[in-house]
Amino acid sequence: MFNHESTNKQIYLNATKQLVKVVLNGYNATIFAYGVTGAGKTHTMIGYENEPGLMFYTINEIFDGMRALNQTSNES
């Protein structure tokens, strides 16, 4: 599904983004990076300033979701 030309954003959108709703609904979710040394696990998970990793995208989405849930509960 992914190769050396895949961006962290593409990987996030296709493999991780759907787990954010699960987490916001109170369930646990795990993304497991596995591979040989030098395969790019750290780059994919953490990234760099010019290409953030899955953790950056996921945490931002979780906080955005929490803000949206908070606004909805405050409007009730």
Side-chain angles (χ1 to χ4, degrees):
M1 180 173 211
F2 305 109
N3 62 31
H4 67 282
E5 294 178 359
S6 300
T7 65
N8 289 342
K9 181 75 170 199
Q10 290 171 324
I11 296 169
Y12 170 75
L13 292 173
N14 290 288
T16 308
K17 183 176 173 74
Q18 63 270 16
L19 294 176
V20 173
K21 275 188 185 176
V22 173
V23 170
L24 290 172
N25 284 319
Y27 294 93
N28 293 325
T30 301
I31 296 295
F32 185 77
Y34 177 80
V36 298
T37 300
K41 299 175 297 293
T42 301
H43 169 74
T44 301
M45 294 304 294
I46 299 173
Y48 299 103
E49 187 174 344
N50 62 338
E51 186 180 12
L54 302 184
M55 290 171 63
F56 172 84
Y57 292 118
T58 303
I59 290 168
N60 278 337
E61 186 105 9
I62 288 171
F63 278 105
D64 288 346
M66 289 170 53
R67 277 190 283 276
L69 288 171
N70 192 30
Q71 285 178 343
T72 302
S73 67
N74 286 340
E75 292 172 0
S76 299

